[in-house]
Amino acid sequence: MSLTEDLTTGSDKEQADRTSRNKLLYAAGGLVAFLVALALLSHVPGSTGQIAASMLRVAIQPQTAALAVAVIGLNIHFGYTGLLNMGQAGFMMLGAYGFSIAIWKGQPMIVGILAGFAAAFVFALLLGIPTLKLRGDYLAIVTISAAEILRYTGRLAKLENFTGAAQGIPGSQYRGPFADLSFLPQDTNWTFPFTKLTYPLTGTDDWWTRLVAWLVVALCSYFVFLLARSPWGRLLRGVREDEDAIRSLGKNVFAVKMQALIIGGLFGALGGIIFILPSSMQPDAMGRNLTFFAWTALLLGGAATVFGPVLGSILFFSVRIFLQGITDAVLPSGLMNTQQTEQFAWICIGVMLMLIVIFRPQGLVGDKRELRFNV
Amino acid sequence: MSDLATRDYADPAVRAQLVSEVDRAPGAAKPDPILVVDSVVRHFGGMTAVDVDHLEVQRGIITALIGPNGAGKTTFFNLVTGFDRPSQGAHWSFDGKTLDKTSASSVAQAGMVRTFQLTKSLNRMTVMDNMMLGATEQSGENLVKSLFKPLWHGQEREIEERAKELLDRFKLLAKKDDYAGSLSGGQRKLLEMARALMTRPKMIMLDEPMAGVNPALTQSLLGHIQSLRDEGTTVLFVEHDMHMVRHISDWVVVMAEGRVIAEGPADSVMSDQAVIDAYLGAHHDMDLGDDALLEEDAVKEMADEVAREEAEGKA
Amino acid sequence: MESRAVVWQAPVTKILAAFFLTILTLAAVAAVQPARASASASLCLPSANNSCITSTVRSDSGVIAGAEVRVTGPGGVDETLTTDEAGKFSLSVTETGEYTLVLVPESLDESLTVTNGSVTLNVPRMNRVRAPVFGVRTADYSATTSFSDQLINGAFSGLRLGLLLALASIGLSLIYGTTGLSNFAHAEQVTLGGMLGYLFVNQWGLGLLVGAPLVLIAAGFTGWFQDRVLWMPLRRRGLGLAQMMIVTIGLSLTLQYVYQFFIGASTVKVLVFNPTPQSLGPISYTYPDLIAMAVSVVVISLVGYALLRTRVGRATRAVSDNPALASASGIDVDRVIRLVWIVATTLAGLSGLLYSLVIQRGMRWDSGMQILLLLFAAVTLGGLGTAFGALIGALIIGMVVELTPVLGAPGDLKYASALLILILLLMVRPQGLLGRAERVG
């Protein structure tokens, strides 16, 4: 490689851009290789094939894309700005509620999306104003609390006609306009070549949703790439490192943090909308554990990187399926029932989160020198 | 006014003449104050950390703020720069603008930029990024404009050039792509100062610039501070180190127990009985900057460390 | 300088001894009746070929036996189930899709009102357990009791909950004070107390007299062990606080699923005997209520006394104030922190034990999360890191939670109201009620 020679040509900024671009290419290449390997393995007979097939299924499912979008938002919060947002599921829920309620009540889809964004915007403002001037853990406590308040409120029996209460809103009530946008044929099953992935082209849980969901992930990643390389992104990282230093240079730290909280929250809302597209709007599906999963995915992939959230989300879901499948296959039956293997997989996820944070805080693709945590 | 504007602060005689007319008493009026502070009071619990009635800081010269430990110097700095709130209504104005109750960032925007006792270099960012953050009015720091590179690319290049010049002057250019955390303590102090200069301040406030700095770097730091003054930047600094105060300051303000107890040129202040009492009360063995101590062993030690530092710098 | 051993061991032993003694005495007061929980006879187990819809029908006064639930769903499923003695019903289904469950009002006692009698749930695939929740409450819940009586009774429940929360939140606050760590896994320690209580008292039949001390010892051990193998090494590594906080989240997730691994979706209560509700004026209470409250008051007082009056307590406060200074003045900071972990987890264990003894809804694998938010609210309300603030905060939060339904807000919002109060307080007094404003720079 001619990396050293490059130093003499172009500005240093371009040089740094190039290095990060290379890194991104490696990570993306690795991910594609991983998916191809899964596709190939899924043809192996027996439990290996089954596990690989399920892993591939969850790797590309719309919920994974939805989590990835929410994690991209969380990355702006935590990775770039150092904000401890423990309520990303709340932002997701607001996006999802705004979208599903508006369409359910007969509004066009664009109104639904905007309603979701508006709700997340207001939520960010409300949370940010009292906490962004305080120490970081206040934001953590307030966001996790506020997200739970939202969930309790959404579940209220009295609001059944508005939020569908605890049962939520069935997907059939809001999926229509989105499915209508599809240019793919209705309800025809299609199998991705060389894989065992068969879904209707357009219908419930279909290829159309997958296509759009991953397209959104790509767009969001590009958006974050643009932000992160800009002076605004530099400002965020400065705030993450030391607010007082940034303040002493005449920057309005509060405004910067608020902008970051809002932008990341809007990504959360978008993730929430995608999250409910293939299923139904259930408030309990967007509880605090979803926030924790988002954190796990972020730290697994690598905070403060453009590609980390995507990689982390895909791996988060497939690793869990892998653990569950392998436990099922390896352990003699009778030692654990199927539910217990599922819980065992979750236990491993929890342990994995601890180990990553302790031993590899930069995640898979992060820069170790840059990403040690502060506060 | 034109007389003031054209004054050449680099000329020691001009500065001496300037301060010679000033009354040597706490709160004395200056011919052309850049910072005027009135009734700044801060309590912590039952203790009064700062209680300054009136203080003026002369434009264009180096003013030192000294005092024994716990005299309230850093708290006073925090109050004036908006990092802390006075306990009751205080007034201060900078370069003609009232800054009561303003935030730390607006104080900096007004042109009064500070550094910190415990250096706040952004350790997990590169030296260059540290510098670039110092530049003011960057259009790329606007959220919407940041998305479109052409809108900020040109300005970015200009800022980068200026940052390189400053880094070169502070002998940090070779380190521009290193993470700030990898620098030595003294280099980080220099970086912090260089970063503050990126904002093009009218007045720079240095909180113990020598604290924790390898003695070898002291001389070069002193040089930098003096050249800042010579270029027309007002300097106010807090310092324990009396040698430094003697060597470079044009005017010295002494604080003890939260109050300003004396003002004057270094020599006269250090023979002031109130000052000696304040220091003796705090530290019996306080060294009031006797030059003799700087000789022989101390000088040799410094020279050795300078050599070592430079060797490191090259590596 | 005195030897550290003297500074340490004497008061610690005394406090711990007094601590256990209190609990033993109070536990002895209760008639101890070992009771084994009986598993429901016709339990549905999910497999690759079927999913289960199973739940318990209950009202605020307990489970409802003999209630009828009509289930309709895909594949022509239309069945009417009747709840058993424990209020349970379960149905094995073999088709995915949306099922509708309707609680047949005629099958219920007239004194009951159905607030939510119809549930639609989705069975996405096989090998799942879905638990629909119906809303049923006694008709006289709000109708026949006067408002002031409800208020008094609510305040009593609030005090009870507040005391239980205080036990746990003092520990949380001490950990925060001495290490700066917001421990997201603290509520799992509370859950642990309940789980262990269930294990020792109900499953092993050890009785509360033996079981309770065992729970406390085991809980305290987890604190010692955690600090020994996890937190102390991490402190030595110089891990940042945000990083440590995320480690606690990982730990919280791990523990939650460990509990679920062992007890599944069931609810755990420590049942020593079937307590008969008694009443004193408008207040209705049970014997365990009084024991739990008395134990809490005594233990909280002991901890308060220890913090204020003993050397070890002063050392703890010194470390909270300024660890570097404390260390410089001869206090073994690591040892103080180790002790704080032990005390905090023991208190949390006690809190969980009492909680699952007296709180109607019992303890589930994920109860910790709900409790955690109340603990955070209490601790932040009182002022992060101040132990006495945590006590006051916990009492306020307990009251708010229990009085919200009385004051007319929907019962589902009772936790939400506590969190709302926290957010409002942060806007006016960010340092909390007893906290000090921080010095900058």
Side-chain angles (χ1 to χ4, degrees):
Chain A
M1 289 302 290
S2 58
L3 277 181
T4 42
E5 287 160 37
D6 284 349
L7 270 175
T8 51
T9 60
S11 80
D12 313 307
K13 190 107 184 91
E14 281 161 6
Q15 146 74 9
D17 282 352
R18 205 166 306 137
T19 324
S20 67
R21 207 173 303 147
N22 283 341
K23 218 168 171 179
L24 190 126
L25 282 178
Y26 288 135
L31 181 62
V32 170
F34 172 72
L35 294 177
V36 168
L38 284 182
L40 291 177
L41 276 174
S42 64
H43 294 287
V44 175
S47 49
T48 313
Q50 277 171 18
I51 295 172
S54 331
M55 283 171 75
L56 189 58
R57 256 197 298 280
V58 295
I60 64 147
Q61 71 185 359
Q63 278 93 344
T64 305
L67 188 74
V69 174
V71 173
I72 288 171
L74 190 62
N75 192 25
I76 295 181
H77 291 150
F78 177 72
Y80 291 110
T81 325
L83 299 176
L84 293 166
N85 171 18
M86 288 289 156
Q88 188 68 339
F91 284 101
M92 293 176 76
M93 184 152 54
L94 283 174
Y97 265 137
F99 179 78
S100 56
I101 293 173
I103 297 176
W104 181 29
K105 301 295 173 195
Q107 299 297 318
M109 191 165 85
I110 184 72
V111 174
I113 295 173
L114 291 179
F117 282 168
F121 180 83
V122 172
F123 191 56
L125 276 183
L126 286 179
L127 294 187
I129 289 169
T131 55
L132 287 182
K133 285 184 176 165
L134 306 176
R135 214 178 28 214
D137 26 9
Y138 281 100
L139 181 70
I141 292 173
V142 166
T143 44
I144 195 173
S145 302
E148 284 298 284
I149 293 179
L150 282 181
R151 197 168 61 88
Y152 289 133
T153 313
R155 287 173 49 98
L156 274 186
K158 281 191 178 157
L159 293 179
E160 183 158 13
N161 290 327
F162 189 63
T163 63
Q167 289 77 49
I169 303 166
S172 52
Q173 301 290 349
Y174 56 78
R175 197 180 297 122
F178 172 73
D180 292 345
L181 286 181
S182 172
F183 47 78
L184 303 172
Q186 289 287 318
D187 251 335
T188 325
N189 270 343
W190 182 71
T191 305
F192 196 92
F194 310 113
T195 66
K196 293 192 165 177
L197 301 167
T198 307
Y199 301 101
L201 280 170
T202 307
T204 25
D205 196 23
D206 53 0
W207 281 111
W208 167 241
T209 314
R210 282 170 176 73
L211 178 73
V212 174
W214 287 104
L215 212 60
V216 170
V217 171
L219 282 175
C220 291
S221 298
Y222 182 65
F223 188 72
V224 169
F225 163 75
L226 290 181
L227 288 178
R229 69 165 181 184
S230 75
W232 188 74
R234 183 169 61 214
L235 194 53
L236 292 192
R237 287 180 287 132
V239 168
R240 179 191 71 196
E241 287 300 296
D242 195 323
E243 282 179 31
D244 281 341
I246 300 301
R247 227 171 252 134
S248 79
L249 296 171
K251 320 274 183 191
N252 188 343
V253 170
F254 179 76
V256 173
K257 283 162 91 175
M258 186 60 99
Q259 286 174 347
L261 187 65
I262 290 171
I263 294 283
L266 293 181
F267 277 115
L270 188 58
I273 294 174
I274 300 173
F275 194 80
I276 59 163
L277 274 179
S279 55
S280 60
M281 167 66 229
Q282 281 176 319
D284 289 350
M286 287 180 233
R288 61 252 152 169
N289 277 4
L290 186 61
T291 302
F292 294 166
F293 299 158
W295 275 88
T296 312
L298 175 64
L299 296 168
L300 179 63
T305 62
V306 172
F307 195 58
V310 182
L311 190 65
S313 304
I314 291 177
L315 287 181
F316 170 76
F317 279 101
S318 30
V319 163
R320 197 185 71 75
I321 291 295
F322 173 75
L323 288 169
Q324 194 182 336
I326 212 85
T327 325
D328 255 336
V330 172
L331 279 188
S333 54
L335 209 61
M336 281 188 205
N337 64 35
T338 320
Q339 266 178 308
Q340 284 180 321
T341 55
E342 191 180 333
Q343 280 134 24
F344 177 74
W346 283 120
I347 293 171
C348 294
I349 292 278
V351 174
M352 188 175 79
L353 175 58
M354 287 196 272
L355 294 179
I356 297 171
V357 176
I358 296 170
F359 295 108
R360 208 180 155 81
Q362 74 272 30
L364 285 172
V365 293
D367 186 329
K368 190 176 183 179
R369 292 169 305 170
E370 183 182 338
L371 209 98
R372 278 165 49 222
F373 298 60
N374 62 341
V375 174
Chain B
M1 200 64 206
S2 62
D3 172 39
L4 295 175
T6 54
R7 199 172 275 145
D8 178 15
Y9 294 107
D11 183 353
V14 170
R15 298 198 304 271
Q17 194 266 331
L18 193 67
V19 297
S20 66
E21 300 156 7
V22 178
D23 192 13
R24 287 164 195 195
K30 309 290 183 313
D32 176 22
I34 188 166
L35 175 68
V36 181
V37 177
D38 278 302
S39 61
V40 170
V41 181
R42 181 70 169 98
H43 304 290
F44 287 114
M47 193 191 86
T48 304
V50 168
D51 181 2
V52 173
D53 276 344
H54 183 81
L55 180 68
E56 293 181 10
V57 176
Q58 169 60 34
R59 185 191 307 272
I61 63 170
I62 299 179
T63 304
L65 182 59
I66 67 168
N69 269 332
K73 307 179 296 283
T74 293
T75 310
F76 178 70
F77 246 50
N78 284 342
L79 290 167
V80 174
T81 50
F83 279 86
D84 196 358
R85 300 259 157 208
S87 301
Q88 58 207 48
H91 300 289
W92 64 96
S93 64
F94 176 76
D95 205 20
K97 265 175 284 187
T98 300
L99 288 181
D100 317 356
K101 292 181 188 163
T102 49
S103 64
S105 57
S106 8
V107 168
Q109 277 163 19
M112 178 159 59
V113 177
R114 70 171 293 182
T115 65
F116 296 85
Q117 191 175 340
L118 297 169
T119 321
K120 289 189 184 294
S121 55
L122 308 167
N123 289 343
R124 284 150 221 157
M125 297 176 79
T126 63
V127 168
M128 194 43 131
D129 276 346
N130 264 273
M131 293 296 286
M132 304 283 281
L133 272 168
T136 50
E137 290 174 11
Q138 297 188 44
S139 53
E141 285 183 357
N142 175 300
L143 176 55
V144 180
K145 288 184 193 161
S146 71
L147 290 172
F148 307 100
K149 197 171 177 182
L151 293 182
W152 48 263
H153 189 60
Q155 192 190 19
E156 188 84 347
R157 280 290 174 91
E158 285 166 25
I159 297 170
E160 201 176 320
E161 282 315 307
R162 196 151 62 82
K164 278 184 182 165
E165 278 166 30
L166 272 169
L167 284 176
D168 192 27
R169 179 169 151 191
F170 283 82
K171 305 222 165 31
L172 288 171
L173 190 56
K175 304 234 172 216
K176 72 179 166 52
D177 295 322
D178 292 7
Y179 280 79
S182 69
L183 302 182
S184 74
Q187 287 172 324
R188 268 183 262 173
K189 286 262 177 199
L190 287 175
L191 172 61
E192 198 186 25
M193 204 186 289
R195 189 179 63 196
L197 292 179
M198 284 294 286
T199 65
R200 301 185 194 276
K202 295 185 184 119
M203 170 161 137
I204 187 160
M205 301 178 68
L206 308 169
D207 194 354
E208 302 209 13
M210 297 299 155
V213 174
N214 183 333
L217 268 179
T218 340
Q219 282 307 325
S220 87
L221 255 170
L222 290 181
H224 288 309
I225 295 173
Q226 279 168 318
S227 60
L228 281 182
R229 183 238 356 243
D230 294 347
E231 288 156 20
T233 311
T234 310
V235 180
L236 175 66
F237 71 99
V238 165
E239 191 50 67
H240 273 309
D241 185 338
M242 292 304 155
H243 305 296
M244 171 174 172
V245 171
R246 279 203 159 197
H247 283 289
I248 66 165
S249 53
D250 303 305
W251 190 257
V252 178
V253 176
V254 189
M255 279 182 81
E257 289 167 358
R259 296 169 177 279
V260 175
I261 58 165
E263 274 191 59
D267 292 331
S268 75
V269 154
M270 281 174 200
S271 54
D272 186 311
Q273 194 55 44
V275 176
I276 294 169
D277 287 349
Y279 270 97
L280 289 182
H283 296 282
H284 291 280
D285 54 352
M286 191 67 201
D287 158 28
L288 283 184
D290 189 342
D291 276 345
L293 289 172
L294 249 183
E295 275 152 24
E296 294 174 21
D297 291 352
V299 172
K300 186 172 182 312
E301 201 178 304
M302 268 170 124
D304 288 348
E305 287 185 60
V306 169
R308 219 177 306 139
E309 189 90 4
E310 278 177 355
E312 271 173 29
K314 274 176 201 150
Chain C
M1 179 137 242
E2 273 177 84
S3 121
R4 265 177 210 150
V6 181
V7 176
W8 280 98
Q9 274 151 14
V12 174
T13 341
K14 252 188 249 162
I15 291 163
L16 286 182
F19 190 66
F20 285 118
L21 209 65
T22 325
I23 297 181
L24 288 180
T25 346
L26 285 160
V29 182
V32 182
Q33 260 184 8
R36 281 168 187 279
S38 60
S40 180
S42 60
L43 205 66
C44 163
L45 281 177
S47 72
N49 302 320
N50 74 309
S51 282
C52 296
I53 299 175
T54 177
S55 184
T56 306
V57 181
R58 60 170 76 237
S59 72
D60 47 294
S61 69
V63 297
I64 304 165
E68 289 176 3
V69 179
R70 186 175 166 196
V71 187
T72 47
V77 170
D78 186 353
E79 285 194 49
T80 302
L81 310 163
T82 310
T83 57
D84 66 7
E85 289 291 291
K88 278 203 167 172
F89 68 90
S90 67
L91 176 69
S92 165
V93 297
T94 52
E95 302 250 347
T96 58
E98 283 186 354
Y99 289 81
T100 306
L101 290 88
V102 179
L103 189 59
V104 182
E106 294 75 31
S107 67
L108 299 175
D109 194 274
E110 276 177 14
S111 68
L112 298 172
T113 312
V114 179
T115 53
N116 181 15
S118 164
V119 176
T120 305
L121 52 80
N122 185 30
V123 177
R125 64 181 106 132
M126 292 300 105
N127 210 351
R128 284 291 141 123
V129 177
R130 308 306 314 235
V133 181
F134 296 108
V136 185
R137 67 172 194 216
T138 46
D140 61 359
Y141 179 67
S142 52
T144 59
T145 324
S146 79
F147 179 71
S148 65
D149 284 1
Q150 283 182 50
L151 207 62
I152 295 172
N153 203 24
F156 175 78
S157 306
L159 183 64
R160 187 183 65 180
L161 180 63
L163 285 169
L164 296 184
L165 289 176
L167 279 176
S169 54
I170 288 174
L172 184 63
S173 190
L174 282 175
I175 292 175
Y176 183 88
T178 47
T179 66
L181 179 66
S182 304
N183 181 13
F184 275 66
H186 197 68
E188 269 59 51
Q189 298 287 340
V190 178
T191 319
L192 182 72
M195 300 282 160
L196 289 178
Y198 174 75
L199 179 71
F200 294 152
V201 179
N202 288 37
Q203 293 284 314
W204 293 1
L206 292 179
L208 202 55
L209 203 60
V210 185
L214 276 183
V215 168
L216 298 187
I217 291 169
F221 173 78
T222 60
W224 176 85
F225 183 74
Q226 265 181 62
D227 191 54
R228 181 72 196 76
V229 306
L230 194 59
W231 307 118
M232 192 183 72
L234 293 188
R235 281 198 299 279
R236 298 252 159 99
R237 269 177 85 106
L239 215 66
L241 282 175
Q243 218 166 336
M244 292 251 244
M245 190 176 104
I246 296 166
V247 175
T248 69
I249 288 175
L251 184 63
S252 155
L253 276 178
T254 310
L255 289 175
Q256 279 183 44
Y257 288 105
V258 167
Y259 300 150
Q260 201 193 8
F261 186 89
F262 287 111
I263 66 153
S266 57
T267 300
V268 166
K269 267 183 72 85
V270 178
L271 288 173
V272 191
F273 55 91
N274 228 351
T276 27
Q278 325 219 345
S279 52
L280 177 75
I283 300 174
S284 77
Y285 66 94
T286 62
Y287 210 32
D289 282 346
L290 296 187
I291 299 174
M293 291 167 76
V295 169
S296 309
V297 169
V298 171
V299 171
I300 291 168
S301 318
L302 272 176
V303 173
Y305 175 82
L307 278 175
L308 289 176
R309 287 293 145 81
T310 62
R311 292 193 73 109
V312 53
R314 281 196 290 271
T316 308
R317 288 188 297 143
V319 174
S320 294
D321 226 38
N322 187 337
L325 191 64
S327 172
S329 50
I331 293 171
D332 185 342
V333 173
D334 269 332
R335 220 163 155 177
V336 170
I337 293 176
R338 176 76 45 87
L339 183 78
V340 162
W341 272 102
I342 297 174
V343 170
T345 49
T346 311
L347 290 175
L350 177 63
S351 169
L353 177 68
L354 297 176
Y355 190 95
S356 54
L357 193 65
V358 301
I359 301 287
Q360 189 70 51
R361 56 190 168 271
M363 199 76 98
R364 277 162 44 90
W365 62 277
D366 60 350
S367 297
M369 255 306 164
Q370 207 163 51
I371 298 172
L372 179 71
L373 295 179
L374 298 182
L375 294 183
F376 271 149
V379 169
T380 319
L381 199 64
L384 280 176
T386 58
F388 296 101
L391 171 63
I392 293 171
L395 291 176
I396 295 175
I397 292 296
M399 288 286 175
V400 169
V401 166
E402 295 293 348
L403 287 177
T404 302
V406 178
L407 294 174
D412 302 351
L413 279 186
K414 58 192 207 174
Y415 298 107
S417 60
L419 303 177
L420 197 65
I421 286 198
L422 163 71
I423 294 175
L424 292 179
L425 183 96
L426 281 183
M427 297 184 86
V428 289
R429 198 179 157 80
Q431 70 269 37
L433 294 172
L434 293 192
R436 276 174 304 177
E438 256 183 72
R439 182 175 173 166
V440 186

